[in-house]
Amino acid sequence: MSQLKVVVAGAAGRMGAANIRAITEHPDTVLHAALDRDGSEAIGQDAGTLAGLPACGISITSDAEKALAEADAVIDFTTPGASVMLSKLTSGRKLVHVIGTTGCSIDDDAEIAAAAEAGARIVKSGNFSLGVNMLAALVRQAAAALEDYDIEVLEMHHSRKVDAPSGTALLLGKAAAAGRDVDLEERSVRVRDGHVGPREAGSIGFATLRGGTVVGEHSVILAGPHERIELTHRAEDRGIFANGAVKAALWAAGKDNGLYSMADVLGL
Ligand SMILES: NC(=O)C1=CN([C@@H]2O[C@H](COP(=O)(O)OP(=O)(O)OC[C@H]3O[C@@H](n4cnc5c(N)ncnc54)[C@H](OP(=O)(O)O)[C@@H]3O)[C@@H](O)[C@H]2O)C=CC1
Ligand SMILES: O=C(O)C1=N[C@H](C(=O)O)C[C@H](O)C1
């Protein structure tokens, strides 16, 4: 089998570097191009060097059309606007598009779904690690079994993170809502401030912490009478997300166009 030719979007970012390393280390993938924002200081720099590897001869570009030419797949951890723009390009070319970007609005998600419908093979997830996707399956089970327990999702990330709640917190909230057979949009309480009154039964609460260099920590707390269950995942290295993204790209290469999740990739 020939190697999957993968473009990294957001190449100069925290996840971009991890993705370049994961693609370089996997025997079935090869770095095809590295893309970042027009005007970024990283444009023109060697993608390997920027990722802490030996120089690889691929310069970071802001020309998306050029980067995608002859490519098989894009691994994209950027911003909502960039992911929507790229989904239109991957759709026209019928490419694999792995989207790790979080903080997408309902409208952004609708545009991404339309791109998948039109031709792209998109895998989108708020978290590409095996551990978090396993945790989501456990949360769904616990939420269904402990139907009267109060559910709260707590997350902490590094100080540079720009969206809240995290994509993972929302993924875990959705898993809890699915276990209860309710709609998360109708039940979630994202912020509490001031005299908010007692907790509404059946709601799913979110709490956000930011600071330091925390890669990502999530707890789902199920609180009942005189006892509490806490299901926790702690990410220690961004390589867990990057390895999952590479796995998703290889998996989607054999699929029809459509919108898939990491749970689909892992068969959970
Ligand atoms: N699903 C998952 O498993 C994970 C998801 N994430 C998510 O991935 C995203 C990126 O995270 P992280 O790497 O920490 O963030 P960074 O800010 O470090 O990286 C994002 C990169 O994308 C670049 N970028 C911005 N606009 C464009 C554009 N139009 N085209 C190409 N590149 C662009 C940024 O450039 P510049 O800085 O110059 O603007 C930056 O280099 C976030 O949404 C985060 O929540 C993170 C980890 C795991
Ligand atoms: O921005 C991050 O760093 C992370 N973002 C993802 C999220 O929003 O859940 C995944 C991971 O926790 C790291």
Side-chain angles (χ1 to χ4, degrees), residues 94-113:
K94 308 209 178 305
L95 299 181
V96 168
H97 189 177
V98 175
I99 303 179
T101 308
T102 57
C104 292
S105 66
I106 290 171
D107 287 349
D108 294 332
D109 279 335
E111 291 203 56
I112 288 168

Side-chain angles (χ1 to χ4, degrees), residues 10 12-15 36-37 77-78 82 100 102 125-128 161 241:
R14 284 173 288 272
M15 277 305 300
D36 211 278
R37 184 180 55 79
F77 288 62
T78 54
T102 57
S125 177
N127 198 302
F128 277 92
K161 185 161 178 63
F241 312 128

Side-chain angles (χ1 to χ4, degrees), residues 1-214:
M1 188 185 92
S2 60
Q3 288 177 305
L4 195 76
K5 291 180 274 178
V6 187
V7 177
V8 170
R14 284 173 288 272
M15 277 305 300
N19 288 328
I20 289 167
R21 289 193 291 272
I23 291 162
T24 305
E25 282 161 16
H26 199 295
D28 298 333
T29 53
V30 62
L31 183 67
H32 180 71
L35 190 61
D36 211 278
R37 184 180 55 79
D38 192 21
S40 162
E41 284 179 3
I43 303 301
Q45 292 187 41
D46 186 274
T49 311
L50 215 61
L53 300 171
C56 66
I58 293 175
S59 299
I60 297 185
T61 178
S62 60
D63 186 339
E65 304 258 354
K66 204 168 150 192
L68 296 189
E70 311 289 325
D72 298 314
V74 182
I75 294 184
D76 162 17
F77 288 62
T78 54
T79 63
S83 292
V84 168
M85 178 274 290
L86 279 171
S87 72
K88 290 177 183 153
L89 297 180
T90 57
S91 175
R93 292 164 177 76
K94 308 209 178 305
L95 299 181
V96 168
H97 189 177
V98 175
I99 303 179
T101 308
T102 57
C104 292
S105 66
I106 290 171
D107 287 349
D108 294 332
D109 279 335
E111 291 203 56
I112 288 168
E117 178 83 14
R121 284 164 279 168
I122 298 182
V123 186
K124 184 171 187 290
S125 177
N127 198 302
F128 277 92
S129 76
L130 173 61
V132 158
N133 285 280
M134 189 66 230
L135 176 65
L138 296 172
V139 166
R140 183 179 177 143
Q141 194 185 356
L146 304 171
E147 57 184 14
D148 295 329
Y149 281 39
D150 297 327
I151 299 178
E152 296 282 313
V153 183
L154 174 67
E155 56 115 331
M156 180 158 188
H157 284 87
H158 55 94
S159 59
R160 311 306 300 163
K161 185 161 178 63
V162 293
D163 57 305
S166 69
T168 310
L170 294 171
L171 180 160
L172 295 169
K174 272 191 195 126
R180 295 263 167 99
D181 205 16
V182 297
D183 183 354
L184 180 65
E185 290 296 322
E186 287 170 12
R187 301 300 175 108
S188 68
V189 176
R190 298 235 191 152
V191 178
R192 294 188 183 102
D193 184 24
H195 191 84
V196 295
R199 191 181 196 282
E200 192 178 327
S203 59
I204 297 174
F206 290 85
T208 300
L209 307 180
R210 294 285 177 267
T213 56
V214 177

